[in-house]
Amino acid sequence: MDTNKDRHIPFNWPNMTGKELHYIAEAHFNGRLAGDGPFTKRCHTWLETRTQCAKALLTHSCTAALEMAALLLDIEPGDEVIMPSYTFVSTANAFVLRGAVPVFVDVRDDTLNIDEQLIESAITPRTRAIVPVHYAGVACEMDTIMAIAARHGLKVVEDAAQGVMATYKGRALGSIGDLGAYSFHETKNVISGEGGSLLVNDPQLTPRAEIIREKGTDRSRFFRGEVDKYTWQEVGSSFLPGELMAAFLWAQFEEADKITQQRIVSWNRYHALLESFEAKGVLRRPIVPSECQHNAHMYYVLLSPEVNRQAVLDDFRRNDIASVFHYVPLHSSPAGQKYGRAQGDLSVTDSVSERLVRLPLWVGLTEAQQDKVANTLSRSLKLNE
Ligand SMILES: *Cc1c(COP(=O)(O)O)cnc(C)c1O
């Protein structure tokens, strides 16, 4: 493999622990390749122990886990689901697939998470659920969101795609709402290429979650010997990954603490390197509220409005540094306009999406590489002139 990481600094580099192929070989020799074998069970137990959720179920992506959540909550055509516009498309797609209308609410200008103060004004008689997205692994203001949901009889689905190993007031992200969804996509912290998990926190939802994940059948109960044959029970699909993916993921779970710790070291180093940039007013660094323990999923900077972001991105590219920006706000995307509704003017979302730059962050990123990123940014922003 030609990594070429010395000259070129990639934006992301999938981290392997070294045990992945060993466990895949073990699954291969076990002769058990379909889902819900021994490695899947180990992963479920690990997730349940770590997050204290009632039931964890591996899926083939976070997208799939969100689609399961929409099915589980019986989301129907015309139902409304409140979510930020500043998020990945899967947050909205999962509910639009059931015919629901995503109602986009603006984000807070500190954490870039859904502004909990704006949620109540978006509630109508058709509202069924709130979907907080824990951006960059920094928790949304969950106590407030859960209180609003309780007052209005709404369900809460946490899009914790970026939140594996992060906590809010000591509780794992994804374990606070009725349901939570994790991603193990290659671009996240703990990975299996594609992969995800649904966290079921309301134990009453567990039996149906198992049915929906197994093509709408009670096959899970059949395998446990609770029924003598399995049949079609309700609408479902095939949401479970095969054992090879679970075997890969198990190797990552074993090292999840180490992976998180290493990322946090790099995150903290960027934060120290860029302190003087913030003091000069050219950018602002991420803000993490004290009740949130983040997982260093992402290091971003918000450039000041007078800075030309494209020029900064061009300077990075000329220096062989891969940096990216996101998101095109969902409320201004073609599908968002067709299927969704914006609540208010979403001015923070629009502003952030034009000013945010994500810096390379992965396990193995060296101090020299981080220095190069900071120096390139300094030259681009003409801080020494
Ligand atoms: C990555 C991501 C997803 C999708 O995860 P997949 O596992 O790729 O389906 C959903 N929501 C957010 C906020 C994400 O960052």
Side-chain angles (χ1 to χ4, degrees):
M1 206 189 313
D2 173 22
T3 65
N4 213 5
K5 278 186 288 186
D6 294 331
R7 196 166 42 79
H8 171 71
I9 305 179
F11 173 68
N12 180 51
W13 192 259
N15 170 57
M16 311 285 175
T17 69
K19 289 267 200 77
E20 286 84 356
L21 290 179
H22 173 80
Y23 290 136
I24 286 175
E26 195 178 318
H28 167 87
F29 287 117
N30 284 346
R32 171 65 203 262
L33 299 180
D36 282 341
F39 280 104
T40 304
K41 294 206 168 78
R42 266 193 233 178
C43 289
H44 286 172
T45 304
W46 187 91
L47 284 164
E48 286 156 12
T49 308
R50 280 308 185 105
T51 69
Q52 296 294 304
C53 70
K55 182 72 200 155
L57 293 167
L58 290 193
T59 54
H60 44 74
S61 63
C62 177
T63 302
L66 292 167
E67 289 175 19
M68 280 186 67
L71 281 163
L72 255 174
L73 298 183
D74 296 312
I75 299 295
E76 291 179 358
D79 286 351
E80 294 182 355
V81 179
I82 295 172
M83 62 183 68
S85 170
Y86 192 68
T87 182
F88 188 62
V89 297
S90 296
T91 317
N93 257 324
F95 297 92
V96 171
L97 272 167
R98 312 308 320 148
V101 178
V103 175
F104 301 118
V105 168
D106 211 355
V107 290
R108 290 163 50 140
D109 62 9
D110 56 354
T111 57
L112 317 188
N113 281 328
I114 190 166
D115 187 339
E116 68 279 358
Q117 305 297 336
L118 300 176
I119 290 175
E120 263 180 322
S121 64
I123 294 175
T124 74
R126 307 233 48 173
T127 308
R128 294 284 322 283
I130 306 170
V131 187
V133 178
H134 303 299
Y135 182 68
V138 176
C140 298
E141 194 3 65
M142 288 307 291
D143 279 351
T144 307
I145 292 171
M146 296 307 291
I148 293 170
R151 258 199 314 276
H152 296 272
L154 306 177
K155 298 292 184 186
V156 174
V157 179
E158 297 175 72
D159 182 339
Q162 303 175 9
V164 178
M165 302 295 285
T167 58
Y168 168 80
K169 298 187 179 176
R171 299 169 70 189
L173 303 194
S175 74
I176 302 164
D178 299 273
L179 297 162
Y182 277 166
S183 174
F184 307 121
H185 187 266
E186 174 180 320
T187 53
K188 302 300 200 286
N189 291 16
V190 174
I191 60 174
S192 57
E194 304 284 347
S197 180
L198 181 71
L199 305 189
V200 182
N201 302 315
D202 173 358
Q204 290 183 339
L205 292 173
T206 299
R208 283 188 61 227
E210 290 184 332
I211 288 169
I212 287 167
R213 177 168 166 273
E214 266 283 16
K215 299 92 181 165
T217 72
D218 53 355
R219 188 160 158 171
S220 299
R221 298 187 62 208
F222 173 71
F223 280 133
R224 286 197 295 265
E226 294 166 17
V227 288
D228 60 5
K229 62 179 184 305
Y230 71 87
T231 57
W232 189 21
Q233 302 284 322
E234 64 172 291
V235 175
S237 189
S238 184
F239 288 113
L240 71 169
E243 271 289 282
L244 298 185
M245 199 157 93
F248 188 107
L249 186 60
W250 177 247
Q252 296 268 319
F253 279 180
E254 282 189 326
E255 303 264 307
D257 289 305
K258 197 170 138 200
I259 292 167
T260 309
Q261 214 28 62
Q262 287 177 315
R263 294 183 73 103
I264 284 175
V265 169
S266 296
W267 195 100
N268 287 342
R269 193 154 187 283
Y270 270 137
H271 212 57
L273 283 172
L274 300 176
E275 188 178 351
S276 64
F277 292 57
E278 190 174 79
K280 287 178 181 138
V282 289
L283 57 78
R284 109 146 160 67
R285 298 173 299 159
I287 295 171
V288 181
S290 60
E291 63 273 22
C292 305
Q293 175 57 58
H294 73 109
N295 58 2
H297 171 59
M298 192 189 302
Y299 199 91
Y300 67 83
V301 295
L302 273 180
L303 300 173
S304 297
E306 61 279 7
V307 174
N308 178 345
R309 177 173 67 177
Q310 193 52 51
V312 171
L313 294 171
D314 290 345
D315 282 335
F316 275 136
R317 195 173 45 244
R318 268 194 290 278
N319 286 280
D320 265 314
I321 297 166
S323 67
V324 301
F325 64 89
H326 68 181
Y327 298 100
V328 175
L330 296 186
H331 74 278
S332 52
S333 67
Q337 296 196 334
K338 181 169 176 193
Y339 299 111
R341 166 163 78 74
Q343 176 70 24
D345 67 358
L346 306 192
S347 56
V348 180
T349 299
D350 288 330
S351 164
V352 161
S353 76
E354 285 165 12
R355 297 190 290 121
L356 187 129
V357 176
R358 298 177 63 185
L359 305 183
L361 180 60
W362 30 273
V363 172
L365 183 71
T366 65
E367 296 194 351
Q369 288 172 321
Q370 289 193 286
D371 291 343
K372 184 179 170 187
V373 171
N375 291 335
T376 304
L377 188 57
S378 171
R379 279 198 305 278
S380 185
L381 297 171
K382 301 182 176 55
L383 291 189
N384 296 321
E385 286 173 14

Short mmCIF file of all heavy atoms in Angstrom, two decimals, residues 59-60 83 118 131 160 178 183 237 269 305 310 318 358:
data_model
loop_
_atom_site.label_atom_id
_atom_site.label_comp_id
_atom_site.label_asym_id
_atom_site.label_seq_id
_atom_site.Cartn_x
_atom_site.Cartn_y
_atom_site.Cartn_z
N THR A 59 -26.45 -2.77 12.58
CA THR A 59 -27.10 -2.55 11.29
C THR A 59 -25.99 -2.37 10.25
O THR A 59 -24.82 -2.28 10.60
CB THR A 59 -27.98 -1.29 11.32
OG1 THR A 59 -27.17 -0.18 11.75
CG2 THR A 59 -29.15 -1.45 12.26
N HIS A 60 -26.38 -2.30 8.98
CA HIS A 60 -25.30 -2.13 7.99
C HIS A 60 -24.88 -0.69 7.80
O HIS A 60 -23.94 -0.40 7.08
CB HIS A 60 -25.62 -2.83 6.65
CG HIS A 60 -27.00 -2.64 6.16
ND1 HIS A 60 -27.42 -1.47 5.63
CD2 HIS A 60 -28.05 -3.49 6.13
CE1 HIS A 60 -28.69 -1.61 5.28
NE2 HIS A 60 -29.10 -2.81 5.57
N MET A 83 -35.79 18.49 13.15
CA MET A 83 -34.34 18.17 13.08
C MET A 83 -33.58 19.40 12.63
O MET A 83 -34.17 20.36 12.12
CB MET A 83 -34.12 17.01 12.09
CG MET A 83 -34.52 17.34 10.66
SD MET A 83 -34.32 15.94 9.53
CE MET A 83 -35.58 14.80 10.13
N LEU A 118 -35.48 26.75 20.02
CA LEU A 118 -36.35 26.99 18.85
C LEU A 118 -37.28 25.82 18.57
O LEU A 118 -38.14 25.90 17.69
CB LEU A 118 -35.49 27.26 17.60
CG LEU A 118 -34.55 28.47 17.69
CD1 LEU A 118 -33.70 28.56 16.42
CD2 LEU A 118 -35.35 29.75 17.89
N VAL A 131 -35.34 14.87 16.26
CA VAL A 131 -34.11 14.13 15.95
C VAL A 131 -32.90 15.04 16.18
O VAL A 131 -32.45 15.74 15.27
CB VAL A 131 -34.10 13.61 14.50
CG1 VAL A 131 -32.89 12.70 14.27
CG2 VAL A 131 -35.38 12.85 14.19
N ALA A 160 -26.71 9.85 16.58
CA ALA A 160 -25.41 9.86 17.25
C ALA A 160 -24.36 9.24 16.34
O ALA A 160 -23.39 8.64 16.82
CB ALA A 160 -25.49 9.13 18.59
N ASP A 178 -35.45 7.95 23.02
CA ASP A 178 -36.11 6.64 22.92
C ASP A 178 -35.24 5.69 22.11
O ASP A 178 -35.16 4.50 22.40
CB ASP A 178 -37.47 6.79 22.23
CG ASP A 178 -38.40 7.69 23.04
OD1 ASP A 178 -39.08 7.18 23.93
OD2 ASP A 178 -38.39 8.92 22.79
N SER A 183 -22.88 5.32 13.81
CA SER A 183 -22.28 4.97 12.52
C SER A 183 -20.87 4.43 12.73
O SER A 183 -20.10 4.97 13.52
CB SER A 183 -22.19 6.19 11.59
OG SER A 183 -21.47 5.85 10.41
N SER A 237 -37.29 -5.03 6.91
CA SER A 237 -36.33 -5.21 5.83
C SER A 237 -35.13 -5.94 6.40
O SER A 237 -35.15 -6.38 7.55
CB SER A 237 -35.94 -3.86 5.24
OG SER A 237 -35.17 -4.05 4.06
N ARG A 269 -4.18 19.25 20.50
CA ARG A 269 -3.01 19.92 19.94
C ARG A 269 -3.42 20.97 18.91
O ARG A 269 -2.89 22.09 18.92
CB ARG A 269 -2.06 18.88 19.33
CG ARG A 269 -0.71 19.48 19.02
CD ARG A 269 0.39 18.45 19.01
NE ARG A 269 1.67 19.15 18.87
CZ ARG A 269 2.11 19.65 17.71
NH1 ARG A 269 1.40 19.49 16.61
NH2 ARG A 269 3.25 20.30 17.66
N PRO A 305 -16.31 36.06 8.95
CA PRO A 305 -17.06 36.33 7.71
C PRO A 305 -16.23 37.02 6.62
O PRO A 305 -16.46 36.79 5.43
CB PRO A 305 -18.21 37.23 8.17
CG PRO A 305 -18.37 36.93 9.63
CD PRO A 305 -17.01 36.56 10.14
N GLN A 310 -12.78 29.90 0.16
CA GLN A 310 -12.26 29.18 -1.01
C GLN A 310 -10.75 29.39 -1.15
O GLN A 310 -10.02 28.46 -1.50
CB GLN A 310 -12.99 29.61 -2.29
CG GLN A 310 -12.73 28.69 -3.48
CD GLN A 310 -12.99 27.22 -3.15
OE1 GLN A 310 -14.05 26.85 -2.63
NE2 GLN A 310 -12.00 26.35 -3.41
N ARG A 318 -2.93 23.37 -2.49
CA ARG A 318 -1.62 23.63 -3.07
C ARG A 318 -0.50 23.07 -2.19
O ARG A 318 0.58 22.75 -2.66
CB ARG A 318 -1.40 25.14 -3.26
CG ARG A 318 -1.82 25.63 -4.64
CD ARG A 318 -1.28 27.03 -4.90
NE ARG A 318 -1.95 28.04 -4.07
CZ ARG A 318 -3.14 28.58 -4.37
NH1 ARG A 318 -3.75 28.24 -5.48
NH2 ARG A 318 -3.69 29.47 -3.58
N ARG A 358 -13.03 21.86 7.88
CA ARG A 358 -12.61 20.71 8.70
C ARG A 358 -11.15 20.41 8.41
O ARG A 358 -10.74 20.34 7.25
CB ARG A 358 -13.46 19.49 8.37
CG ARG A 358 -14.93 19.66 8.68
CD ARG A 358 -15.73 18.44 8.26
NE ARG A 358 -15.33 17.25 9.01
CZ ARG A 358 -15.81 16.03 8.76
NH1 ARG A 358 -16.67 15.83 7.78
NH2 ARG A 358 -15.40 15.00 9.49
#
